[in-house]
Amino acid sequence: MAIEQHQNLIKITGKSHVKPNKNIGKKECQLVTFDLPYLAFYYNQKLLFYKGDGDFEGMVEKLKDGLSVVLEDFHQLAGKLKRDEEEVFQVEYDDDMAGVEVTEAIADEIEVADLTVAESSSILKDLVPFTEVLNLEGMHRPLLAVQLTKLKDGLVMGCAFNHAILDGTSTWHFMSSWAETCRGAPSTSAPPFLERTKARNTRVKLDLTLPSGTPTTPHIDEVKPMPNPPLREKIFNFSESDIDKIKSTINEPPSDGSKPFSTFQTLSVHIWRHIIHARNIKPEDHTVFTVFADCRKRVDPPMPEAYLGNLIQAIFTVTVAGLLLAKPPQFGASLIQKAIEAHNAKVIDERNEGWESAPKIFEFKDAGVNSVAVGSSPRFKVYDVDFGWGEPEHVRSGSNNKFDGMIYLYPGKSGGRSIDVELTLEAEAMGRLEQDKDFLMQV
């Protein structure tokens, strides 16, 4: 049976809320300049697929019990977005709040293998909560929602995280901590660092009302609606040998004493060039490569890895398509390398000061013209998230925050230095990319 025919076979069987195991009292934490631009992004969605025909009800109870323990440290995820008397956003937790939303569902005619094929199916939208829900709605919705769906031969966990309160590093820190408590740990071995204001302490007032008093999203540039071309989402697997070949090729001949290009830089320019080629854009057209870079070690003073929040900034690299394709790949790799290395504490402070003087809330598709944008990281240990019944068969992102040219990088399921590239692309360009043997490393 075609997977799309399963669409109406996902049945919601229950909904509940999970709070921290013990009373914590009222806690407030100001959102900082690194968090605020993401209020108009959608919730960040992750899907983890597990095989096994264990006791589903027992697994759900185990997940809820572990969640109530891990929320003692990660209580912000059980809270709400609020604004204080000066209109400054904060995340607030109180013991009388509902907590994390957990939905249970059954889809017992669908197998894990139906859902873990390379091409995304629209059915994934029914397996993860809060599709097309803006982070701003965290003022009256849970900041974390989880859907647990029983499959014919396993379980899929769909999680929606409010992106205004945490980035990818914090997301996977939470997920690994949750898995730890489900496996029996009395508490997480690496508690989150909750003092966001240590990274930036400017209080930014955001005006969310129009003159008429109608609530709105602040300062989003108005764009005339245009018909959206159909998009496709697909995962491309680059094996360890593919990665090594790309990296060694772009690092030859040895550069003039400059630093060699990293795995990220070489894979990025490989993807960027082949997407631009597949798009058939004019040589004089500009293209932007965007990476959402972790700034924990870049800020001064550096912040701990366990910092809970957004400590990322978008780094933009711009060139014209003709130049990117005509020059050897070292040209694009060098552009990316220089932009990333230049993004130091001084640049981060200047970016923050500029934003604070004229706050602009980004939309998720503001990555630039003819853009290729990279989120997530193959460094995140997504396949170590074992709740007690083994590692996930597969990990992927939901449909939120995806646009033409958006990429999520994950460690490859095959292990080693392999990398999975989850790519969203306009359908015609995707069709051309699928035929590009150089891109697929089949030459």
Side-chain angles (χ1 to χ4, degrees):
M1 191 189 290
I3 188 69
E4 303 306 347
Q5 290 176 262
H6 289 308
Q7 205 84 32
N8 58 359
L9 296 180
I10 299 174
K11 189 169 74 180
I12 303 294
T13 58
K15 193 170 281 193
S16 57
H17 289 82
V18 176
K19 297 161 72 158
N21 228 355
K22 62 185 182 190
N23 284 347
I24 292 171
K26 186 170 183 177
K27 301 275 187 182
E28 296 173 342
C29 183
Q30 176 192 321
L31 294 190
V32 298
T33 309
F34 291 100
D35 299 308
L36 297 171
Y38 301 100
L39 282 166
F41 275 48
Y42 294 131
Y43 272 66
N44 205 10
Q45 296 175 318
K46 298 297 171 193
L47 291 139
L48 293 87
F49 303 87
Y50 293 90
K51 281 198 93 160
D53 50 7
D55 165 23
F56 179 69
E57 287 74 19
M59 293 161 94
V60 169
E61 284 312 305
K62 187 175 189 177
L63 286 165
K64 287 184 183 177
D65 289 346
L67 183 56
S68 69
V69 175
V70 79
L71 287 174
E72 291 174 20
D73 284 327
F74 288 86
H75 61 265
Q76 291 182 10
L77 286 168
K80 288 270 172 40
L81 292 183
K82 299 274 186 184
R83 281 179 292 167
D84 66 16
E85 63 286 350
E86 294 178 354
E87 305 295 312
V88 173
F89 270 91
Q90 59 186 24
V91 56
E92 182 179 301
Y93 172 81
D94 210 337
D95 293 326
D96 60 4
M97 289 182 175
V100 173
E101 181 182 289
V102 179
T103 301
E104 294 164 51
I106 293 180
D108 49 16
E109 290 188 40
I110 303 176
E111 297 182 359
V112 170
D114 294 329
L115 302 170
T116 55
V117 292
E119 182 106 17
S120 268
S121 156
S122 61
I123 199 170
L124 296 180
K125 290 183 180 177
D126 294 329
L127 296 169
V128 63
F130 291 4
T131 296
E132 294 187 2
V133 172
L134 290 175
N135 295 312
L136 195 54
E137 291 193 39
M139 296 182 80
H140 51 85
R141 288 185 189 245
L143 300 179
L144 168 59
V146 179
Q147 180 174 322
L148 306 169
T149 305
K150 180 181 186 294
L151 303 177
K152 187 175 185 179
D153 60 347
L155 169 149
V156 55
M157 171 187 280
C159 300
F161 294 90
N162 191 297
H163 204 335
I165 70 158
L166 81 175
D167 59 14
T169 299
S170 291
T171 294
W172 293 108
H173 177 202
F174 167 76
M175 292 299 286
S176 61
S177 301
W178 182 11
E180 203 176 12
T181 57
C182 287
R183 293 196 308 271
S187 61
T188 174
S189 59
F193 180 83
L194 300 175
E195 299 174 64
R196 293 168 192 257
T197 52
K198 297 283 189 196
R200 188 79 184 170
N201 199 16
T202 310
R203 289 174 56 78
V204 181
K205 177 178 175 177
L206 289 177
D207 180 12
L208 296 180
T209 54
L210 292 168
S212 64
T214 312
T216 185
T217 308
H219 307 300
I220 295 179
D221 290 348
E222 285 192 25
V223 181
K224 290 178 183 169
M226 292 177 66
N228 291 324
L231 299 177
R232 288 174 57 197
E233 297 171 25
K234 186 167 181 177
I235 289 184
F236 294 92
N237 313 99
F238 288 87
S239 68
E240 189 169 293
S241 62
D242 291 339
I243 295 293
D244 289 348
K245 188 175 176 186
I246 291 168
K247 189 173 181 180
S248 62
T249 302
I250 295 179
N251 275 302
E252 288 174 2
S255 51
D256 47 4
S258 54
K259 194 174 171 184
F261 300 118
S262 67
T263 297
F264 175 80
Q265 291 155 9
T266 51
L267 180 61
S268 291
V269 77
H270 178 79
I271 298 168
W272 187 17
R273 294 173 89 242
H274 286 281
I275 287 176
I276 295 307
H277 183 258
R279 281 177 171 161
N280 283 345
I281 62 176
K282 296 174 186 160
E284 65 272 20
D285 284 351
H286 284 87
T287 170
V288 180
F289 181 85
T290 306
V291 55
F292 291 90
D294 183 7
C295 296
R296 283 167 177 75
K297 297 289 178 276
R298 296 170 188 269
V299 291
D300 184 18
M303 289 292 110
E305 189 72 7
Y307 176 99
L308 182 70
N310 285 287
L311 207 41
I312 53 174
Q313 276 188 343
I315 300 175
F316 303 100
T317 304
V318 187
T319 187
V320 291
L323 211 51
L324 182 68
L325 297 181
K327 286 185 171 278
Q330 289 85 349
F331 169 75
S334 180
L335 290 178
I336 295 169
Q337 183 185 63
K338 284 174 182 164
I340 291 172
E341 292 193 345
H343 205 75
N344 57 23
K346 181 173 181 288
V347 171
I348 292 167
D349 280 346
E350 287 169 357
R351 172 87 68 88
N352 282 333
E353 286 161 11
W355 189 88
E356 288 156 3
S357 65
K360 178 188 183 300
I361 305 299
F362 300 129
E363 285 190 278
F364 68 95
K365 56 185 182 293
D366 282 344
V369 64
N370 294 317
S371 70
V372 174
V374 178
S376 193
S377 167
R379 292 199 182 106
F380 296 152
K381 294 181 168 53
V382 304
Y383 288 104
D384 289 355
V385 181
D386 176 359
F387 293 95
W389 44 81
E391 66 178 31
E393 283 296 303
H394 203 62
V395 175
R396 71 188 313 154
S397 314
S399 59
N400 281 357
N401 302 319
K402 286 184 174 172
F403 53 90
D404 182 16
M406 186 65 210
I407 293 164
Y408 290 90
L409 298 179
Y410 291 105
K413 181 66 175 98
S414 55
R417 292 185 303 282
S418 64
I419 293 175
D420 287 345
V421 176
E422 186 181 62
L423 170 62
T424 302
L425 211 56
E426 184 268 314
E428 282 188 23
M430 183 73 89
R432 287 190 284 269
L433 194 68
E434 287 172 321
Q435 305 303 315
D436 183 344
K437 292 191 171 175
D438 280 336
F439 172 69
L440 300 170
M441 300 301 292
Q442 293 173 352
V443 174

